[in-house]
């Protein structure tokens, strides 16, 4: 309890993509706090220069991912994360993404656990900022729901059995 973690990195990179040189300057940070032994609050960020790979042009990227993890007893943990991501180019916001995710893990014992992941993704795009040949490839708005269920049993230290479902 009462632990915290903070990390910020300022990075500078030169990158070549599609015969174009890009000078990138961005900051990546993580912050977590454990106010109790069973609760963790956190946020991860990315802010700075990036590349619009579809348009081969410079862009500004913003990613924010707040999270909450709760350990319910010794065997059950739940984590909720909400990722927000946007890419700005000359002329406006190319896209915005909202992707909330819920992970639930039940550890039966040292050899066996089940995990469920549910993720919803919503994307809004300004198609006027895409090239004409790309506009037919994207919808202005899209939504998707992802679910994954996994059962794991460790037979011995070198062998594990996985049984899962994903849509």
């Amino acid at each position: 309890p009462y632990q915290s973690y903070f990390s910020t990195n300022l990075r500078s990179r030169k990158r070549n993509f599609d015969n174009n040189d890009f000078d990138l300057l961005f900051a990546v940070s993580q912050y977590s706090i454990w106010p109790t032994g069973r609760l963790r609050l956190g946020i991860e960020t990315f802010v700075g220069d990036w590349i619009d790979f579809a348009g081969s042009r410079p862009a500004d990227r913003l990613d924010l991912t707040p999270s909450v993890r709760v350990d319910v007893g010794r065997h059950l943990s739940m984590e909720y994360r909400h990722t927000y991501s946007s890419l700005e180019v000359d002329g406006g916001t190319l896209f915005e993404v909202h992707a909330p995710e819920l992970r639930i893990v039940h550890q039966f014992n040292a050899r066996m656990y089940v995990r469920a992941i549910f993720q919803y993704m919503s994307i809004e795009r300004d198609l006027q900022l895409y090239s004409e040949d790309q506009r037919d490839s994207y919808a202005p708005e899209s939504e998707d729901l992802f679910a994954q269920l996994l059962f794991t049993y460790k037979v011995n230290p070198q062998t594990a059995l996985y049984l899962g479902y994903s849509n």
Side-chain angles (χ1 to χ4, degrees):
Y2 302 112
Q3 295 180 7
S4 61
Y5 170 80
F6 181 74
S7 169
T8 296
N9 294 295
L10 185 61
R11 299 177 183 167
S12 176
R13 291 198 178 135
K14 291 187 181 291
R15 192 158 182 192
N16 184 288
F17 176 76
D18 199 24
N19 293 321
N20 293 311
D21 291 324
F22 296 94
D23 292 319
L24 305 177
L25 179 64
F26 54 91
V28 179
S29 66
Q30 281 185 299
Y31 178 70
S32 294
I33 185 168
W34 289 262
T36 71
R38 296 183 184 272
L39 176 66
R40 181 183 59 81
L41 307 171
I43 187 163
E44 298 173 15
T45 65
F46 181 108
V47 179
D49 301 327
W50 202 242
I51 302 169
D52 167 17
F53 291 102
S56 191
R57 59 187 164 178
D60 294 319
R61 177 177 158 189
L62 172 64
D63 293 351
L64 301 171
T65 306
S67 63
V68 176
R69 178 183 165 138
V70 179
D71 293 330
V72 183
R74 293 178 6 165
H75 300 284
L76 181 65
S77 68
M78 295 184 286
E79 182 173 13
Y80 175 79
R81 303 169 65 86
H82 185 111
T83 298
Y84 168 81
S85 183
S86 69
L87 201 64
E88 301 278 335
V89 296
D90 286 342
T93 303
L94 188 65
F95 64 79
E96 285 187 339
V97 177
H98 288 273
E101 176 181 291
L102 176 64
R103 288 178 180 245
I104 302 169
V105 178
H106 188 276
Q107 186 84 37
F108 293 99
N109 54 45
R111 293 179 156 206
M112 184 171 48
Y113 72 88
V114 293
R115 179 184 72 197
I117 300 173
F118 304 97
Q119 184 183 65
Y120 169 79
M121 187 176 343
S122 169
I123 304 173
E124 295 180 14
R125 298 176 186 87
D126 185 348
L127 295 181
Q128 297 304 313
L129 298 174
Y130 288 81
S131 65
E132 286 189 37
D133 60 324
Q134 293 175 329
R135 289 181 191 155
D136 292 336
S137 301
Y138 300 106
E141 295 180 2
S142 62
E143 296 178 335
D144 194 21
L145 182 62
F146 166 80
Q148 181 188 72
L149 303 173
L150 179 67
F151 169 81
T152 303
Y153 178 73
K154 187 185 282 189
V155 178
N156 61 47
Q158 297 177 351
T159 306
L161 171 69
Y162 297 97
L163 181 62
Y165 165 81
S166 181
N167 65 346

